[in-house]
Amino acid sequence: MKTIFKRLFVGHLLASFAVLIMMSAIFVVAIETSISHWNRDEAQDMVKVLSPVIAKVYRLSGSLEVNALEPALIPYATNSMYIYVFDTAKHPILLLYRGQVVTQEAVEEQVGNLSAFLVLNAPVAVKDNDTVICYLSVNSQDFLTYRANRQFIGTMRTSLAAGAITAFLIALAISLFISSTFSKQTTALVSAITALGNGKRNITFSRSNTAEFDMIACSEEKLQEQLVREESLRRQWMLDVSHDLRTPVTAVKVQLEAIIDGVLQASETRMKNLLAELKHIEQLVNNLHDLNRYESPEMHIQPVAIPPHDFVNNLEEEFSVFMSQKELNGVFECLVDEPFLADEFLLQRFVSNILQNAVKYTEKGGEIICSVNQSPNKDVVFDVRNTGTLSEETVNHAFDRLYRGDKSRTDGGSGLGLSIAKAIVDLHHGSITMKNDNGYVCVTIMIPATT
């Protein structure tokens, strides 16, 4: 398996090598282009020199014969150029190649068909006054015949090779530095994440000068904090569950043993108390089962269209008796006319949990207000208010599992009602909040319009 060090090192090295090759190719092409331009300019200069010589031969002899042209042009011919003279019909008169007179067949062995050659390399017209007397084709390739030019090319090749080697070594060093730096940062993060997975919770994630690595380190720090909180909650939850189960189980066990031993009488009152304890255990177990089911990733809701007025009327009918028993003033309002989508059974469950909690903790003669409204973006808002005030600790932890403001835990509740309500709201992708508001404890639930 390739490491990030190898990948970065090879990738950066290959990229640098590709750039080096490309720059070298550009440099070589530039030199060759410069030489080509030098040869072309040299050829043009030779045309300017030879044209008057040919015109002079024409004026002296009255024609352009090989015997007259050859001695006149030979002194200008070199071993790296050709001089071709053609008549006005572009038939060859004199063909000089590298200082020697050659035949048309010899030329065509080098350049191919002479007519095609003239099309690609148009000869220059040589004039005597305004009369075209012949055509001249000259090409010089004697750049390297000059010592200075050869030294220049040699220096360029040496410089190019030295520059390429130097650039390659620098690229190698930079690639090694960058790759090793990233590798160290990656190794440190992997080690920290591995330690986190092995149970360590006091890990320090080192920072670097790389934004991406800092983002990863920051995310891992947040994950570590979340794991610490979750583990703390889990431990507290297990303690609370153990406490809530142990107390009624112990009470039932002790009384049953006393009845068996004849210490206590199996009176009707005592049996009712034992049954109440068993019901409390049953309620706690059922609520734990429901909470686990609602928080499971496999749990899915079954949304249906719910008429808001019917829903509120059912709540009022269900809780009016309980409110009357405690002499509470109950107000149920529905400010929504259009049906909304939600899981009807779960919706009834979590709103009932909120109302049961409100009835339970509202003092005699108090007031409970339950209203259903709609936000500007058509989200459904349930608002349950009851007279009273909660501590800041209770407001902050009301939806934690098994949390109850009454630390004595003698009221018979399971401490899971609000946790179940929050789990159901989460299934609907909504939100639930609690706050103190002008002498009322206000629980607000929002369910999106499209659940």
Side-chain angles (χ1 to χ4, degrees):
M1 182 181 295
K2 292 184 178 179
T3 64
I4 189 172
F5 171 81
K6 290 182 179 178
R7 290 180 181 273
L8 285 173
F9 179 75
V10 173
H12 192 272
L13 197 61
L14 288 177
S16 301
F17 191 63
V19 172
L20 179 62
I21 291 176
M22 182 178 66
M23 295 302 297
S24 299
I26 293 174
F27 185 76
V28 170
V29 170
I31 292 178
E32 290 180 351
T33 302
S34 298
I35 293 174
S36 176
H37 289 169
W38 188 93
N39 290 332
R40 184 186 62 190
D41 294 340
E42 185 71 10
Q44 291 175 350
D45 291 340
M46 288 300 298
V47 168
K48 294 177 181 179
V49 171
L50 296 178
S51 294
V53 174
I54 296 173
K56 182 179 179 181
V57 171
Y58 178 79
R59 285 194 298 270
L60 292 175
S61 62
S63 63
L64 295 176
E65 298 294 336
V66 174
N67 296 334
L69 283 174
E70 182 179 354
L73 297 180
I74 282 293
Y76 300 96
T78 66
N79 290 332
S80 61
M81 66 183 301
Y82 65 80
I83 302 174
Y84 299 156
V85 182
F86 304 91
D87 60 19
T88 55
K90 295 185 179 179
H91 297 135
I93 299 174
L94 176 64
L95 302 176
L96 291 176
Y97 182 73
R98 293 185 175 182
Q100 300 291 328
V101 177
V102 295
T103 64
Q104 180 176 342
E105 289 76 11
V107 172
E108 289 182 342
E109 288 180 1
Q110 298 291 329
V111 301
N113 184 269
L114 195 57
S115 299
F117 172 80
L118 293 177
V119 173
L120 296 175
N121 302 273
V124 179
V126 179
K127 298 180 180 180
D128 181 25
N129 294 326
D130 294 330
T131 303
V132 176
I133 58 176
C134 68
Y135 288 93
L136 175 64
S137 179
V138 179
N139 188 18
S140 176
Q141 298 179 346
D142 58 353
F143 180 85
L144 296 178
T145 59
Y146 295 93
R147 181 181 179 185
N149 291 346
R150 291 196 301 271
Q151 291 177 343
F152 171 76
I153 294 300
T155 302
M156 289 296 99
R157 288 175 178 172
T158 303
S159 301
L160 180 61
I165 294 173
T166 304
F168 180 78
L169 293 176
I170 293 175
L172 184 65
I174 293 176
S175 299
L176 183 62
F177 173 76
I178 294 176
S179 302
S180 60
T181 300
F182 274 94
S183 180
K184 289 178 181 178
Q185 294 172 353
T186 304
T187 303
L189 280 175
V190 170
S191 299
I193 294 172
T194 302
L196 187 64
N198 291 333
K200 293 186 179 180
R201 296 294 181 263
N202 57 346
I203 304 169
T204 300
F205 292 87
S206 59
R207 291 291 191 270
S208 64
N209 294 325
T210 307
E212 289 78 3
F213 281 100
D214 286 349
M215 290 174 62
I216 296 174
C218 183
S219 299
E220 294 303 324
E221 286 179 351
K222 292 180 180 178
L223 176 61
Q224 179 174 249
E225 294 172 0
Q226 183 177 352
L227 288 173
V228 171
R229 287 196 301 268
E230 291 292 335
E231 290 170 354
S232 176
L233 287 174
R234 186 175 68 250
R235 286 192 295 270
Q236 185 62 44
W237 188 34
M238 293 303 297
L239 290 173
D240 291 341
V241 170
S242 300
H243 178 277
D244 276 33
L245 286 175
R246 185 184 300 115
T247 300
V249 168
T250 302
V252 171
K253 177 184 176 183
V254 169
Q255 293 186 63
L256 287 175
E257 289 175 346
I259 291 173
I260 292 172
D261 293 339
V263 178
L264 296 177
Q265 296 295 322
S267 63
E268 182 180 353
T269 301
R270 181 164 287 112
M271 297 305 292
K272 287 182 178 180
N273 290 335
L274 290 174
L275 181 60
E277 292 293 346
L278 290 174
K279 286 182 177 179
H280 174 70
I281 296 173
E282 182 184 30
Q283 179 191 7
L284 179 59
V285 172
N286 289 336
N287 284 340
L288 285 170
H289 176 267
D290 289 343
L291 180 59
N292 181 67
R293 184 162 59 92
Y294 295 152
E295 291 183 336
S296 172
E298 290 78 20
M299 180 65 183
H300 299 286
I301 63 174
Q302 303 295 328
V304 296
I306 301 176
H309 287 280
D310 293 346
F311 181 78
V312 173
N313 290 337
N314 291 337
L315 288 175
E316 184 176 6
E317 183 178 342
E318 179 183 353
F319 284 93
S320 58
V321 176
F322 301 107
M323 292 181 183
S324 299
Q325 291 175 349
K326 288 193 66 173
E327 299 179 10
L328 301 176
N329 179 32
V331 179
F332 291 83
E333 301 174 334
C334 181
L335 306 177
V336 182
D337 295 323
E338 297 180 1
F340 57 89
L341 289 177
D343 189 304
E344 187 171 12
F345 171 77
L346 295 181
L347 180 66
Q348 184 78 28
R349 172 98 190 251
F350 80 74
V351 176
S352 295
N353 281 0
I354 301 299
L355 282 171
Q356 287 173 2
N357 209 59
V359 171
K360 182 177 180 179
Y361 291 105
T362 302
E363 297 292 336
K364 183 178 180 180
E367 182 179 47
I368 296 177
I369 303 172
C370 177
S371 64
V372 180
N373 206 339
Q374 203 168 40
S375 66
N377 59 350
K378 303 300 183 180
D379 293 340
V380 182
V381 179
F382 299 87
D383 196 59
V384 178
R385 295 170 176 264
N386 64 280
T387 52
T389 304
L390 297 177
S391 66
E392 287 299 319
E393 180 187 2
T394 301
V395 170
N396 293 332
H397 298 281
F399 300 105
D400 293 347
R401 301 179 183 91
L402 296 170
Y403 178 83
R404 285 179 290 183
D406 182 5
K407 300 298 183 182
S408 63
R409 297 181 180 272
T410 59
D411 56 9
S414 67
L416 292 172
L418 292 179
S419 298
I420 291 174
K422 184 179 185 304
I424 295 174
V425 171
D426 290 341
L427 284 173
H428 286 79
H429 306 290
S431 64
I432 182 169
T433 58
M434 177 182 287
K435 65 179 179 179
N436 293 310
D437 186 13
N438 296 324
Y440 285 84
V441 177
C442 180
V443 179
T444 303
I445 303 143
M446 187 278 295
I447 294 181
T450 55
T451 300

